[in-house]
Amino acid sequence: MKTVASFGERHFGGASLGDHRRTKCLVRIADRLYRHPGGTLPTKLHDPKDYKAMDRLMNPPEATHAGV
């Protein structure tokens, strides 16, 4: 059975952020943002742990446009 890749997997699954866990987090956050296209980030990421994960994901020096 073939599985369909999610939005995050298709667009960010190959990101090079220095650690596979960061890429996994990026995919998860992208999927959540995709499911809620309108509104603010706290609205899109209503679970505080998701918002904090996004915040931590964007701060390391490895999280560059080129890496993503």
Side-chain angles (χ1 to χ4, degrees), residues 39-63:
T40 64
L41 287 174
T43 301
K44 295 174 187 201
L45 302 170
H46 63 279
D47 187 333
K49 71 178 182 179
D50 289 333
Y51 188 82
K52 183 71 172 175
M54 188 264 322
D55 190 43
R56 284 191 313 264
L57 180 67
M58 300 304 160
N59 286 321
E62 297 85 0

Side-chain angles (χ1 to χ4, degrees), residues 10-32:
R10 278 193 314 270
H11 294 280
F12 302 106
S16 177
L17 301 177
D19 187 311
H20 73 280
R21 293 171 296 184
R22 287 188 186 133
T23 301
K24 187 176 175 180
C25 180
L26 176 61
V27 167
R28 188 179 74 246
I29 296 299
D31 285 338
R32 282 172 174 70

